[in-house]
Amino acid sequence: MRLAFITSNPGKVEEARKYFEPIGVEVYQLKVEYPEIQADTLEEVAEYGLRWLAERIDGPFFLDDSGLFIEALKGFPGVYSAYVYKTIGIDGILRLMEGVADRMAHFKSVVAYWDGEAHLFTGRVDGEITREKRGTGGFGFDPIFMPRGFDRTFAEMTTEEKNTISHRGRALKAFSEWLKENLK
Ligand code: ITT
């Protein structure tokens, strides 16, 4: 089976392939721009995008909507993470966090799958915002996010390592296990 992953982000596709190859599902990247509405939760953003795409795309597909939630910033950038990354970027986040002692943050991912109806899978990872950028792997905010219990950022890990603990890894694991059962 071939399964379209609707995303502009090749890093997400690389992470997803590791879950689907073992169950014989070939994930491929399909770049279709879809509206990301302004809403309070990632679930709402993901489901709106999913239903919008369902009217325009044949066959099953999935998307992923993720965000970085920083406690000292009351959850910012959260649902605005993509916009914030493109505008002030990692350096902007580090500047906002200058002199802030509470570094706690989490990533959350909502993977939304369409097969005639909507199926949502979520994952979360807790950690902290580092004081400087570290590492060259991964993408997005990875160089400034250190998961709890580790002394390396996501950007200092391999894709496999990041997957075993990450927000997206957890959501994809749940999705791939569900798909395996439901493809039988
Ligand atoms: P899509 O086309 O799939 O929407 P995107 O990169 O815009 O790609 P999101 O809107 O889901 O994805 O992501 C929000 C922002 O959070 C974006 O700037 C990402 O780079 C960043 N982000 C998402 N997942 C991340 C991860 O695992 N590690 C680091 N940054 C991440």
Side-chain angles (χ1 to χ4, degrees), residues 16 23 32 41 74 88 92 100 112 120 156 160 173 177:
I23 62 166
V32 182
T41 65
K74 310 247 186 293
I88 63 170
V100 177
L120 264 51
E156 294 175 300
E160 282 80 1
K173 184 166 188 282
E177 283 171 356

Side-chain angles (χ1 to χ4, degrees), residues 76-95:
F76 183 83
V79 291
Y80 309 110
S81 294
Y83 181 72
V84 167
Y85 182 75
K86 275 182 241 150
T87 52
I88 63 170
I90 290 184
D91 293 324
I93 293 288
L94 286 178
R95 270 196 300 278

